[in-house]
Amino acid sequence: MDVDAVVAEMTLEEKCACLTGVDYWTLGGCPRLGVEPILVADGPHGLRRQSGPFDNLGIAESDPAVCFPTASASACSFDVDMVRKMGEAIAEEARDQGVSIVLGPGVNMKRSPLCGRNFEYFSEDPFLAGELAAAYIEGVQSHGVGTSLKHFAANNQETNRLIVDSVVDDRALHELYLEPFRIAVERAQPWTVMTAYNLLNGTYCSENRYLMEELAREAWGFEGAFVTDWGAENDNGKSLQAGLDLVMPGPRPDYRRSIRSAVEAGDFERDQLDDAVRRVLMLHVRHIEGKKKQHRRLNPSERLAIAQEVAEASAVLLKNEGALPISRSDSVALIGAFACEPRYQGAGSSKINPVSLACSRDAFAECGVSCQYAAGYDHRTGATSEALLAEAAAAARAAEVAVVFVGLTDAVEAEGSDRTDMALPEGHNQLVSRVCAANPRTVVVVQGGAPVEMPWRFEPQAILLSYLAGCQGGAATASILLGDVNPSGKLAETWPMKLGDVQNASSYPSSGRQALYRESIYAGYRYFDAAEVEPAYPFGFGLSYTSFEYSRLLVERDGEGFAIACTIRNSGGRAGKEAVQLYVAPVSPGVFKAPQQLKGFAKVFIDPGEERTVSFFLPRRAFAHCDARTKRWDVEAGEYEIRVSASSRDVRLRKRIVVSGSAKRFDHAPESYRDVVAASFSDEAFRELYARPLPKVLTAMRPYTANATVGDLKSSLIGRIVQWALRRELKFLVPDDEETRAAFDQAAMDTPLRAVAMSGIDMGVVEGVVDILNYRFIRGARRLRAVNHAAKKAGSQHLGRKPE
């Protein structure tokens, strides 16, 4: 298809229609000129294709699909080949279900363990997240299916996510929060990039020209289309001019009218409109080309096998004092409801309807292991009782080994709300201690999407972290516990001992409309290293059933970078994989820097007694920082230490090198950023570091606007009626348990009125409602009447039809 020829033939109305969906999941194209509609679907760890009722919250049912491990799990594989393989399998399922674009992966940084959506994100480290995202994109797109890299950018909390302004200093913005997007774009060129809901430094991401045009397109060479998150478009007059191409969901007749009127009035050039239309039509072209690709098709059982393989490669062995692996001849007590009803994914737009679901209890039985089971707690709430605890202790005493399954409940980890603490359900903590007292050979399996406090971690002999391991996670866990698979996962995020040890424990999440990123570059292990805070388990940590020795570090200059090589030997008795990590540590820097940063990693398989040479290349950029004055990357001349490590706290080999570059310049950053002390980042220091006035906080005082949240309406009688009606409707939409309903209720209160666009309806309805809320009844009624008249005039005509 000749896109330029199609654009030349399109009417203005067709062009404007091309910039929104025709419904929740469909891009309409231009059927009159032979450009057929295509379908997108939520991801990223499987497909959530909805052939029935539409939503983007995971409430309505979706078509069955393989649920792969979530990003928080797969990141622990430290294996780009494995993640690429998972992407290929997801693409195959997308092709089978007629989906052209999978909405993922997510590369937002884990700024705090409390973020309710952390399970969808890879890591606290931008290099690891960017490399894994690039591999995922390469895997999906190699099979002719597109991806949507999200959420661009600095979407790091769910509280007030549609209205919060992420205020980030330039160093942190470029070095942490934008870096994974840059890596993924430059390496893999996703078909689309999804703009985030939030504001960034005072500007909504969907109308942020600096992000879309200056950075992504001009600096990084992004060739695809920008699409809003569902309902994230804020201002019809600013979005297209800032570089946005596609507003979702559709049909959004108000957006189409606004663009048409702006073009006719000469507010911006038709060429700008045509460029956006070309980028959207190229998605249709790539879909057509993708369908022609020939490759071996995967059947459903092969996809499930890949899901299990990823889960096995991602599980992290945190502790083992001889309890693992379990012999098939051992009598085993499986304790905890999650052994039968596992936590395997989070809630929200990524919630998959699995084609099948494996549990560890069934997997043990299939392996012929003698097992006794005790529930231990209620699987929905985590609550326990003396009777359940007594039953569990009795089962543990009667067995040679006890395996306790614990973790976070469904309601705690969900899109739209953040956790309030790092605690497990108290019933789970009680259960672990009770079982450990009854049987010293106790193994604990932890299921969940983010770090939790484990006050009992010194009591069991072994701890295995499965994260949210997908629909085959139960089988994968059994394979590891029984020794069929040697665990090789390493933590892609720091596990604190307690919430108070985290750099932003007292200020996250921001409950208002502005989130100050006071900690700057010091997030995750960068903070724990700089402040010398001891974690429960450090970034990159993970045990194996074998052992590895590191030796013979070689560092040689190679052009503008350095070639690194070392030898890894399997000194144990089992074959296994090791995730080798390469860190760069500046020695006496001028500007403030993290003590070390991950700049390379490799996953290698080694047989017992054998050696493997592992090689890395460090480009010049690996030594660079972002100059806050110029927003350019700069290499500071001086000494740097190359560290080859088994984790961020386990350096096995090191060598100092001298790197040429700019003269050392001592910046004028506040002392708290140069000499980091635990919990030392203040508002005053951050304002000085930010080096310009903070963005104005947009309050929601009356008169109301479309950005007033449902919670803001309490000062109005009509607003209170709206709140009551919404809460009443939620009772029929969300699961019937108090904790889940409370999470949905809070998310609803944080939602701005303009988010009604998530249903694709005309924003004129919102404007009319806002008038009525402000007691401008006549004008509000006129607006609503005008929208109704326009809808009737349009009738049932659509420029596109939904794909079959």
Side-chain angles (χ1 to χ4, degrees):
M1 180 175 69
D2 187 337
V3 170
D4 288 336
V6 171
V7 173
E9 290 292 322
M10 292 174 75
T11 66
L12 178 58
E13 184 68 30
E14 286 171 330
K15 291 177 180 179
C16 294
C18 193
L19 302 185
T20 73
V22 296
D23 63 25
Y24 220 85
W25 304 116
T26 310
L27 312 187
C30 187
R32 182 180 68 85
L33 298 175
V35 185
E36 295 300 315
I38 60 175
L39 198 67
V40 304
D42 269 323
H45 49 270
L47 287 186
R48 195 176 72 92
R49 183 186 187 278
Q50 293 181 308
S51 53
F54 296 157
D55 82 301
N56 69 326
L57 297 175
I59 298 174
E61 192 72 13
S62 60
D63 298 341
V66 175
C67 180
F68 293 84
T70 65
S72 63
S74 62
C76 295
S77 71
F78 273 72
D79 192 333
V80 292
D81 293 331
M82 184 71 70
V83 172
R84 187 180 295 109
K85 186 176 182 180
M86 181 177 72
E88 292 173 357
I90 290 172
E92 281 299 293
E93 191 144 54
R95 289 183 63 157
D96 285 353
Q97 295 194 19
V99 172
S100 301
I101 300 174
V102 177
L103 302 179
V107 292
N108 296 99
M109 290 290 91
K110 299 184 178 184
R111 184 173 169 241
S112 165
L114 300 183
C115 178
R117 209 169 179 180
N118 270 357
F119 63 88
E120 280 193 61
Y121 303 139
F122 288 113
S123 180
E124 68 187 28
D125 183 81
F127 181 80
L128 179 61
E131 291 291 316
L132 294 177
Y136 176 98
I137 293 165
E138 289 168 348
V140 173
Q141 294 187 174
S142 69
H143 285 226
V145 176
T147 57
S148 193
L149 183 66
K150 61 185 187 181
H151 305 89
F152 192 51
N155 178 188
N156 304 108
Q157 68 176 54
E158 290 298 286
T159 303
N160 284 334
R161 62 176 177 157
L162 277 75
I163 56 170
V164 72
D165 186 1
S166 297
V167 182
V168 194
D169 71 279
D170 291 324
R171 285 282 307 280
L173 178 62
H174 287 268
E175 294 180 20
L176 293 187
Y177 301 103
L178 294 177
E179 184 66 357
F181 289 97
R182 181 196 67 82
I183 293 171
V185 165
E186 291 185 349
R187 279 269 313 277
Q189 281 293 341
W191 288 14
T192 68
V193 170
M194 183 186 294
T195 62
Y197 286 118
N198 54 281
L199 299 87
L200 174 60
N201 291 333
T203 303
Y204 276 99
C205 292
S206 62
E207 54 201 50
N208 195 315
R209 179 177 175 80
Y210 176 69
L211 284 181
M212 292 185 280
E213 291 289 350
E214 296 182 37
L215 272 182
R217 289 198 171 113
E218 296 174 15
W220 304 343
F222 177 54
E223 300 170 356
F226 280 106
V227 57
T228 65
D229 202 340
W230 268 230
E233 194 269 336
N234 174 67
D235 189 310
N236 293 355
K238 296 179 180 178
S239 300
L240 182 63
Q241 295 188 65
L244 186 69
D245 301 304
L246 180 61
V247 174
M248 291 299 286
R252 286 297 300 275
D254 62 292
Y255 187 80
R256 301 178 185 189
R257 284 196 307 271
S258 294
I259 300 303
R260 183 180 65 245
S261 298
V263 172
E264 291 173 340
D267 291 344
F268 58 84
E269 299 295 327
R270 285 179 180 261
D271 287 348
Q272 191 174 7
L273 171 65
D274 289 350
D275 287 343
V277 172
R278 285 189 189 92
R279 287 189 286 263
V280 174
L281 291 182
M282 277 304 301
L283 302 177
H284 297 257
V285 172
R286 288 171 173 160
H287 164 70
I288 294 170
E289 294 173 346
K291 289 200 299 184
K292 298 176 183 177
K293 289 196 174 187
Q294 299 296 320
H295 44 76
R296 189 180 76 84
R297 304 299 297 273
L298 298 172
N299 61 45
S301 61
E302 289 176 309
R303 293 173 199 151
L304 286 168
I306 292 172
Q308 180 169 337
E309 187 180 0
V310 176
E312 290 169 346
S314 305
V316 182
L317 184 60
L318 297 178
K319 179 181 181 180
N320 188 22
E321 296 176 346
L324 294 177
I326 299 169
S327 170
R328 279 174 163 74
S329 61
D330 287 337
S331 60
V332 178
L334 296 179
I335 299 170
F338 286 174
C340 294
E341 300 176 85
R343 274 293 318 288
Y344 62 96
Q345 65 176 332
S349 61
S350 66
K351 188 175 182 180
I352 310 299
N353 177 17
V355 292
S356 64
L357 181 59
C359 73
S360 291
R361 184 183 183 185
D362 289 344
F364 267 83
E366 289 170 7
C367 291
V369 179
S370 174
C371 292
Q372 185 177 353
Y373 169 73
Y377 51 79
D378 181 276
H379 83 278
R380 289 191 309 164
T381 66
T384 189
S385 65
E386 179 54 37
L388 289 171
L389 292 172
E391 179 190 27
R397 279 192 294 271
E400 292 172 276
V401 57
V403 182
V404 186
F405 292 78
V406 299
L408 295 170
T409 59
D410 278 326
V412 172
E413 293 186 287
E415 178 179 351
S417 63
D418 297 308
R419 290 195 288 164
T420 57
D421 56 45
M422 279 178 53
L424 285 170
E426 185 53 33
H428 290 214
N429 290 330
Q430 293 176 17
L431 179 65
V432 172
S433 293
R434 195 71 164 265
V435 171
C436 288
N439 187 333
R441 192 181 172 195
T442 293
V443 179
V444 177
V445 176
V446 182
Q447 300 175 356
V452 294
E453 294 169 354
M454 296 186 288
W456 39 259
R457 67 191 181 94
F458 297 109
E459 299 175 32
Q461 284 192 357
I463 304 172
L464 180 69
L465 172 62
S466 70
Y467 270 100
L468 298 178
C471 64
Q472 291 297 106
T477 297
S479 295
I480 293 171
L481 295 178
L482 294 172
D484 297 336
V485 172
N486 191 346
S488 63
K490 302 264 184 140
L491 292 176
E493 60 188 319
T494 304
W495 274 54
M497 289 189 187
K498 60 183 183 301
L499 178 59
D501 292 339
V502 179
Q503 72 278 356
N504 51 16
S506 63
S507 60
Y508 184 97
S510 173
S511 58
R513 288 177 173 249
Q514 193 175 73
L516 303 182
Y517 285 45
R518 300 175 182 85
E519 69 278 4
S520 184
I521 65 170
Y522 298 109
Y525 70 87
R526 288 163 170 79
Y527 167 74
F528 280 79
D529 289 348
E532 299 181 346
V533 176
E534 189 68 25
Y537 303 101
F539 176 87
F541 174 81
L543 301 175
S544 169
Y545 292 155
T546 190
S547 56
F548 299 95
E549 295 177 353
Y550 291 51
S551 64
R552 299 196 289 274
L553 174 62
L554 298 175
V555 181
E556 296 180 348
R557 192 174 298 277
D558 185 353
E560 290 193 343
F562 291 86
I564 317 290
C566 66
T567 300
I568 310 297
R569 179 176 179 270
N570 185 338
S571 55
R574 288 175 177 259
K577 294 180 180 180
E578 174 73 337
V580 184
Q581 300 153 53
L582 180 66
Y583 295 83
V584 171
V587 179
S588 301
V591 298
F592 71 89
K593 293 182 179 180
Q596 62 176 351
Q597 296 185 70
L598 182 74
K599 294 298 178 182
F601 60 91
K603 191 79 170 277
V604 290
F605 174 84
I606 312 176
D607 283 317
E610 290 191 345
E611 294 182 344
R612 287 283 302 274
T613 298
V614 179
S615 300
F616 303 94
F617 176 73
L618 281 179
R620 184 168 177 79
R621 189 185 177 98
F623 303 93
H625 69 278
C626 180
D627 189 320
R629 300 169 304 167
T630 64
K631 297 183 183 180
R632 295 177 181 273
W633 289 82
D634 181 56
V635 175
E636 189 177 66
E639 273 194 306
Y640 293 81
E641 187 171 81
I642 305 301
R643 298 174 177 174
V644 180
S645 306
S647 81
S648 62
R649 293 289 177 99
D650 185 5
V651 181
R652 301 293 182 89
L653 305 169
R654 63 180 80 210
K655 183 179 180 65
R656 288 193 177 187
I657 60 173
V658 176
V659 178
S660 62
S662 302
K664 188 177 294 186
R665 179 182 64 82
F666 290 92
D667 56 23
H668 299 288
E671 184 63 22
S672 58
Y673 297 99
R674 302 189 59 81
D675 185 13
V676 178
V677 177
S680 63
F681 306 116
S682 66
D683 285 357
E684 293 72 24
F686 178 74
R687 289 190 183 95
E688 184 179 345
L689 180 69
Y690 193 69
R692 57 191 183 275
L694 296 180
K696 181 180 179 182
V697 180
L698 301 177
T699 59
M701 301 299 290
R702 291 178 61 182
Y704 295 121
T705 69
N707 274 312
T709 67
V710 174
D712 292 332
L713 304 184
K714 59 187 177 182
S715 62
S716 159
L717 174 60
I718 298 175
R720 289 195 292 274
I721 294 172
V722 171
Q723 286 184 341
W724 174 84
L726 180 61
R727 285 190 163 113
R728 184 174 182 275
E729 288 301 312
L730 280 175
K731 292 180 181 180
F732 300 102
L733 291 175
V734 302
D736 188 22
D737 72 82
E738 185 176 342
E739 198 169 15
T740 302
R741 186 169 292 166
F744 271 90
D745 183 75
Q746 183 57 54
M749 294 302 104
D750 292 344
T751 300
L753 299 176
R754 65 174 171 80
V756 74
M758 286 185 184
S759 64
I761 72 168
D762 196 309
M763 282 294 290
V765 172
V766 178
E767 293 167 354
V769 170
V770 168
D771 279 332
I772 292 172
L773 286 168
N774 289 316
Y775 297 96
R776 296 192 288 259
F777 299 111
I778 295 176
R779 191 166 81 171
R782 285 174 178 169
R783 284 186 188 273
L784 295 175
R785 190 162 51 246
V787 171
N788 186 51
H789 176 73
K792 287 183 177 179
K793 184 177 180 181
S796 59
Q797 296 178 357
H798 290 282
L799 292 170
R801 61 179 176 81
K802 189 174 180 180
E804 296 178 358

